[in-house]
Amino acid sequence: FSSGVPQPADLLGFLLLLILVRTWNGRLPLPLVGSLKALLAFMIYVVVVNVVWSLALFSFSINAKDGFLMAPTFYIFNGLMFLTFLLMFQRYGEFLLWLTVRLVLASVFLQVFLAFAVGGGRGRSTVMFNNPNQLGYYALLSACIILLGQKRLKLSTHQLTAGLIACSYLALLSASKAALVSI
C-alpha cells in the first residue's frame, strides 16, 4: 500500500496484541516496567504538545499536513507494538530474539534476491519498497538488528558477514549515502 497508511502487517500486529493482552497476567519483569513507563510518559507528552498546538493554531484536522491531531496516533501505535514485543518476550524469552534475528537475515537475503530478479534499472532502486529512502532505511535497521543480535544470539561470522554485505548492497541500490555510511 502507499506510504503513510496502515499496512497488512500493522493489522496483524494489532490482532497479536489483542490476543496477547487477553492471556496476559498483568505483570512484567521490573526492568521492562521502567521502559514501558518512560514510553508512556513520552506518549502523553506527545499527545499534550499536539493538542496544545492544535488549540494555539485553532487547527483541528486529522490530516497530517493541516493539523496536529494525527501525529500522536503514530506514536501510540508504535508504543502498542512495543508493548506487543514486550509481552511476546515475556512469554518466549530468548527464543523470540533468536527467531527475530534469523527472520531479519532471511528477509534481507530475500530482498537481495528480489533485487536481482526484478532488476534495479538506472538510478535509485526501490526493490519492493515505495521509494529508495525506505529501502535505505530498511537496510540500515536490518543491519542494526543483525549487529545487536550477533553476540547475544551467537550468530556465526559467516551469518554476520553475509547479512551485513546484503544490507550494504541494499543501501547501495537505494543510493542512500546516509544509510551506506551508517552501515
Side-chain angles (χ1 to χ4, degrees):
F1 299 121
S2 61
S3 301
V5 298
Q7 304 295 316
D10 298 334
L11 178 62
L12 191 62
F14 190 69
L15 290 173
L16 180 61
L17 174 63
L18 293 176
I19 292 168
L20 288 167
V21 166
R22 288 189 68 198
T23 60
W24 181 35
N25 64 5
R27 296 188 195 130
L28 283 173
L30 199 54
L32 300 181
V33 172
S35 300
L36 209 51
K37 283 183 180 179
L39 180 62
L40 182 62
F42 178 71
M43 288 186 336
I44 290 170
Y45 168 77
V46 167
V47 169
V48 168
V49 166
N50 281 280
V51 168
V52 167
W53 272 107
S54 292
L55 290 170
L57 298 176
F58 204 67
S59 176
F60 300 99
S61 173
I62 60 170
N63 183 352
K65 294 184 182 191
D66 299 330
F68 299 97
L69 297 179
M70 189 61 157
T73 60
F74 295 109
Y75 287 94
I76 292 168
F77 178 78
N78 287 329
L80 291 173
M81 290 302 101
F82 182 66
L83 176 62
T84 302
F85 196 83
L86 288 180
L87 293 176
M88 287 183 3
F89 182 74
Q90 182 182 20
R91 183 176 287 182
Y92 301 108
E94 292 290 317
F95 177 72
L96 176 68
L97 301 178
W98 181 90
L99 184 63
T100 300
V101 171
R102 283 356 185 242
L103 290 175
V104 166
L105 278 169
S107 174
V108 167
F109 296 140
L110 178 64
Q111 288 293 327
V112 169
F113 172 77
L114 290 173
F116 282 111
V118 172
R122 293 184 181 187
R124 300 179 74 190
S125 181
T126 59
V127 186
M128 300 300 287
F129 291 89
N130 290 331
N131 66 54
N133 291 331
Q134 287 179 345
L135 177 61
Y137 188 56
Y138 164 80
L140 177 60
L141 290 180
S142 297
C144 288
I145 291 170
I146 292 167
L147 282 170
L148 286 171
Q150 175 207 5
K151 187 173 184 179
R152 182 172 184 163
L153 304 171
K154 297 178 179 41
L155 283 178
S156 71
T157 304
H158 297 299
Q159 290 172 318
L160 176 70
T161 304
L164 291 180
I165 288 172
C167 290
S168 299
Y169 176 72
L170 292 173
L172 190 62
L173 281 180
S174 74
S176 172
K177 294 176 205 128
L180 193 56
V181 167
S182 297
I183 291 174

